[in-house]
Amino acid sequence: MIIENILGNIATIEKKAPHVERVYVESDALVKRIQRVVTDHGKEIGIRLKENKDLVDGDILYMDERNMIVIQVLADDILTICPTSIQQMGEIAHQLGNRHLPAQFEGDEMLVQYDYLVEDLLKQLEIPYRREERKVKQAFRHIGHSHD
């Protein structure tokens, strides 16, 4: 089976099939338009998306009246950074920006993929954080940039 279009997202559709198969992927696979995956029931699927659009947790790859196949993102090893002031947010944002480290924001929290050097930096700057396994809504996208 080759999937070329996303049919919707399980979080927003009204009519769901009674049986759900899941495709477990790591967050970095969400940016891949072409890939081969296997459902939790052993069914092999090719994904070749026509649109230049990232996959999202809960995306529906296939659905009929009895079955649906849904993307399920695995939890990432991340640092959840919780600055207590605009000063701390500015300091850590500047430091991470200099490293071109992708970040995501959820409420007052900054999320970055785990890196022991970043963890050491957070300790040095005395910025509150926690290391945790957490599911992110989208892939951490690295932005290409060079210092000329």
Side-chain angles (χ1 to χ4, degrees):
M1 176 184 317
I2 304 287
I3 304 298
E4 295 182 330
N5 298 300
I6 301 303
L7 303 177
N9 193 286
I10 197 161
T12 58
I13 66 163
E14 290 183 26
K15 187 172 166 80
K16 297 177 174 82
H19 181 262
V20 178
E21 285 184 59
R22 302 203 184 276
V23 172
Y24 293 99
V25 298
E26 294 186 3
S27 66
D28 59 350
L30 296 173
V31 299
K32 297 178 182 175
R33 286 181 44 228
I34 300 172
Q35 58 185 307
R36 186 178 305 261
V37 295
V38 178
T39 72
D40 59 350
H41 288 55
K43 189 179 296 174
E44 192 170 312
I45 298 173
I47 299 174
R48 185 177 58 218
L49 298 179
K50 289 182 178 179
E51 286 185 61
N52 188 14
K53 178 182 175 264
D54 292 350
L55 292 168
V56 177
D57 185 55
D59 275 351
I60 301 167
L61 301 177
Y62 171 83
M63 183 168 66
D64 62 22
E65 59 280 340
R66 292 176 291 161
N67 191 36
M68 60 194 313
I69 300 173
V70 178
I71 292 287
Q72 177 97 34
V73 180
L74 297 169
D76 278 294
D77 186 8
I78 65 166
L79 293 169
T80 301
I81 304 168
C82 309
T84 58
S85 68
I86 192 72
Q87 174 75 29
Q88 282 187 343
M89 176 53 93
E91 287 177 2
I92 195 60
H94 177 75
Q95 293 285 338
L96 297 178
N98 279 342
R99 292 176 166 93
H100 304 284
L101 193 68
Q104 296 182 28
F105 298 88
E106 290 185 12
D108 293 338
E109 299 175 332
M110 176 188 272
L111 311 177
V112 297
Q113 289 177 308
Y114 177 78
D115 181 304
Y116 72 93
L117 295 172
V118 173
E119 186 174 34
D120 289 346
L121 177 64
L122 291 165
K123 289 175 184 173
Q124 278 178 0
L125 296 174
E126 297 180 351
I127 297 176
Y129 75 94
R130 63 186 177 275
R131 181 178 179 183
E132 59 186 338
E133 291 286 319
R134 183 168 170 175
K135 187 190 289 192
V136 293
K137 292 182 172 74
Q138 58 195 20
F140 286 97
R141 184 179 291 284
H142 289 271
I143 298 171
H145 176 76
S146 64
H147 293 276
D148 295 326

